[in-house]
Amino acid sequence: SGSRFATVELSDQLHDIYTLAVDRNARKLFAVSGGTAGNELLQYNRVTREFKPLLPGIAAKDVSYSRDGQWIAYVEMHGKSLWVSRADGSQRRQIEVPALEMELPSWAPDGRSIAFMARLPDSPWRIFVVPTAGGSPSEASSGTDNQGAPTWSPDGRWLMYGNVKCQEVGSCAIRKVNLSTGQVLTLPGSEGMGTARWSPNGRYVAALYTERHQVYTLDVHTGRWQKMADNVSGNDLNWSADSRYLFASRPIGDKPEVLRMSLANGKVESAVDLSDFSKMGGRVDTWFGIAPDGSIIFMRWLDQTDVYSLKFEER
């Protein structure tokens, strides 16, 4: 008691300070400050077990390939703009979308439109559709629920999605939108699920039961849900181009990995050992994608850390 303290600002230029240390003899304060310096996409070849850069020099995330594999859509690193280019990154152009933030674009089967989730000022996450040739985006349906990433039916008439930010209000479910009418239907038996992905052939719908850390698939023909895997901590799902395999991830834990599940026999196996990323520096994002050749795409955040020295005086 009786001690007096004064607060003095030494610098207003440092952000994201992780650690402080004091050298009282030299009257210096050392601060470790860091942040995200950028990102890069890496493509993993499951045969050679090697990573190689994808779209070097382009700060892209949430990459989506057109059905013919010739084009890609992606969101720039900070989620503020939507871009389309050739698969090699050439002929790049921005599609104007007046949104605060956007994520996870998805190509229509005919390549003429892209659906994506976006957030406008004072609004929930909603699904929008925009022509790839350019034009104004339109909202896929009316409503106020937070809509997650969309995927298309093979005929391009429907979009499937799971709700996001839904746990607290108990509204989690898998829903589909009729694009010609805007009608929204809830899939029976999907309550509590999210992160929906429609298989390319339209036969199955994959979903995450987030609270249980489980992956389920729905056979659209029979209406039957089937559990595929447990202990899934990631928040993304992807189908192989032939709809025979479903991929999910366990990005955290003693053995971080991407899982491959067979729809034919239910076999679950490791497709990628994510511990390889620990040798490369940075950190892997929870998003991952599948390229037309079956290789797996990851995004690695590149961190920058600096040590600063600040002089101070004791009074």
Side-chain angles (χ1 to χ4, degrees):
S1 62
S3 299
R4 300 182 62 185
F5 299 90
T7 302
V8 179
E9 184 177 34
L10 298 179
S11 173
D12 61 359
Q13 304 299 312
L14 303 185
H15 304 281
D16 298 323
I17 297 175
Y18 301 132
T19 305
L20 294 173
V22 178
D23 183 346
R24 300 184 68 170
N25 294 327
R27 297 292 193 270
K28 289 184 178 180
L29 175 70
F30 296 94
V32 178
S33 176
T36 301
N39 75 307
E40 67 174 359
L41 294 174
L42 296 172
Q43 196 167 359
Y44 179 79
N45 187 310
R46 296 185 60 241
V47 177
T48 64
R49 301 183 65 181
E50 294 178 335
F51 292 95
K52 68 176 182 179
L54 177 69
L55 304 176
I58 298 178
K61 68 173 188 175
D62 299 350
V63 176
S64 172
Y65 283 83
S66 60
R67 292 293 174 96
D68 61 10
Q70 299 299 306
W71 295 86
I72 57 172
Y74 61 88
V75 176
E76 60 85 29
M77 183 180 74
H78 299 292
K80 303 296 184 182
S81 58
L82 177 66
W83 294 79
V84 168
S85 76
R86 288 283 186 180
D88 62 1
S90 63
Q91 299 183 35
R92 189 166 71 112
R93 58 185 174 84
Q94 183 179 354
I95 296 180
E96 295 294 336
V97 178
L100 288 176
E101 192 174 2
M102 64 193 76
E103 293 182 359
L104 298 164
S106 178
W107 284 86
D110 62 7
R112 297 180 180 178
S113 302
I114 295 172
F116 57 94
M117 55 185 288
R119 188 169 59 87
L120 303 180
D122 301 316
S123 298
W125 284 98
R126 302 293 294 171
I127 293 174
F128 292 83
V129 179
V130 64
T132 54
S136 299
S138 59
E139 195 167 343
S141 63
S142 60
T144 58
D145 62 319
N146 277 286
Q147 298 176 319
T151 51
W152 296 80
S153 62
D155 60 9
R157 297 174 55 194
W158 297 82
L159 287 173
M160 189 79 66
Y161 71 93
N163 288 113
V164 296
K165 300 182 181 297
C166 55
Q167 285 82 5
E168 292 185 0
V169 295
S171 63
C172 297
I174 308 304
R175 297 181 167 89
K176 62 179 184 178
V177 182
N178 185 322
L179 290 175
S180 62
T181 65
Q183 181 185 21
V184 179
L185 301 176
T186 301
L187 270 60
S190 69
E191 291 76 12
M193 297 182 185
T195 311
R197 302 288 186 266
W198 214 329
S199 65
N201 65 4
R203 174 69 185 270
Y204 302 98
V205 175
L208 287 172
Y209 207 126
T210 306
E211 292 184 353
R212 299 179 183 176
H213 303 290
Q214 295 172 333
V215 179
Y216 282 80
T217 55
L218 170 70
D219 187 324
V220 174
H221 293 178
T222 66
R224 178 174 173 264
W225 287 97
Q226 178 180 352
K227 187 176 72 172
M228 299 295 297
D230 290 298
N231 303 316
V232 173
S233 55
N235 60 3
D236 202 0
L237 296 169
N238 278 282
W239 287 96
S240 61
D242 58 11
S243 302
R244 294 174 57 197
Y245 297 97
L246 174 65
F247 294 81
S249 66
R250 293 173 177 153
I252 59 176
D254 296 335
K255 187 184 178 184
E257 60 186 340
V258 171
L259 302 175
R260 187 178 79 156
M261 292 157 271
S262 170
L263 270 289
N265 56 25
K267 181 181 178 181
V268 180
E269 60 183 345
S270 179
V272 185
D273 182 355
L274 294 179
S275 61
D276 290 343
F277 272 92
S278 63
K279 307 171 186 176
M280 304 172 64
R283 53 190 171 87
V284 62
D285 192 71
T286 56
W287 171 87
F288 70 97
I290 305 292
D293 64 0
S295 58
I296 303 177
I297 304 168
F298 298 94
M299 187 180 75
R300 181 165 64 117
W301 293 105
L302 304 175
D303 297 327
Q304 175 178 315
T305 302
D306 298 296
V307 179
Y308 295 86
S309 173
L310 306 170
K311 293 184 177 181
F312 73 94
E313 294 183 2
E314 293 185 353
R315 297 179 181 178

